[in-house]
Every structure is written in C-alpha cells, then in structure tokens.
Amino acid sequence: VLNLPIEDHSVDFINDRGTFHLIVEEERDQFAREIARTLKPNGMMLLRGCREQKKEGYHIAVTEQAIDRYFSKYFDRGKVLPIQIVDFSHEGMNGNIVILKKSK
C-alpha cells in the first residue's frame, strides 16, 4: 500500500477497512501521499480503524488527530464517528470511521 501499482488519479473510491491502523508511524505520511496520488480529484476514501493503541503494538490508534496530521494536506474530512469493530477474538475493538474527500 505504500507503492501501489496504480496510475495517478485513476481511482474514484478507496475503502480502507483496517490498513491505516497497521501502518507504523514512520510510514503513515507515505501511505496518505500514496492514497492521494491514486485518487481522482474529489475522489473519496472510507477510513476505518481502531481508536486505541493495542497493548502488543499491533494496532496503532486512528484518532482524529492522526487523521488530521497525515491526511489534511490532501483531503477534507467528514466527522470522525466512533464504531465497534468485530474481530476474530469476539471481543471486538473500539474504532473510528470517517469519509475523506480528496481536495482539488
């Protein structure tokens, strides 16, 4: 996801259902840049990820601050909404979901 084999500005919609929260801090800017590169102007992204840092470090929190930090130079965002993500542990995890619209 950090170097997608997709042409520039060729995608209308991206659905991230848990990738961003697996991207380490040092690569998050590259991830946001790559998503922005592939989306057409006014293209949209649905971003979903865990809201809290997992103890074992496997999931890195997707907070309003993280979304703004990495995506605000490329995207306008909607409201960040809390959700409950069901996972294989049956415990689930607290998450956030947001729509990002690529700036022109």
Side-chain angles (χ1 to χ4, degrees):
V1 297
L2 300 175
N3 188 15
L4 295 167
I6 298 172
E7 292 183 36
D8 292 358
H9 316 293
S10 61
V11 178
D12 291 306
F13 179 78
I14 292 175
N15 181 13
D16 179 339
R17 54 181 302 263
T19 302
F20 184 62
H21 71 198
L22 299 175
I23 302 293
V24 294
E25 203 67 39
E26 300 78 32
E27 295 177 334
R28 282 184 157 193
D29 190 54
Q30 183 179 349
F31 175 82
R33 224 179 15 255
E34 189 65 2
I35 296 300
R37 179 191 68 77
T38 61
L39 276 172
K40 293 178 181 178
N42 295 313
M44 299 183 105
M45 176 182 187
L46 176 66
L47 175 62
R48 182 197 81 166
C50 68
R51 186 175 351 157
E52 299 153 353
Q53 178 79 31
K54 288 288 199 176
K55 291 178 185 172
E56 61 274 5
Y58 185 63
H59 296 97
I60 301 168
V62 177
T63 62
E64 189 169 335
Q65 294 79 15
I67 294 164
D68 288 344
R69 179 177 178 187
Y70 294 104
F71 292 96
S72 65
K73 56 186 142 192
Y74 311 108
F75 296 91
D76 297 319
R77 73 163 170 84
K79 187 173 180 179
V80 178
L81 301 171
I83 60 170
Q84 185 67 23
I85 300 171
V86 178
D87 64 10
F88 297 111
S89 71
H90 302 292
E91 297 171 12
M93 67 177 105
N94 295 324
N96 282 324
I97 193 166
V98 65
I99 295 284
L100 302 171
K101 182 178 179 184
K102 186 174 175 190
S103 306
K104 293 182 180 179

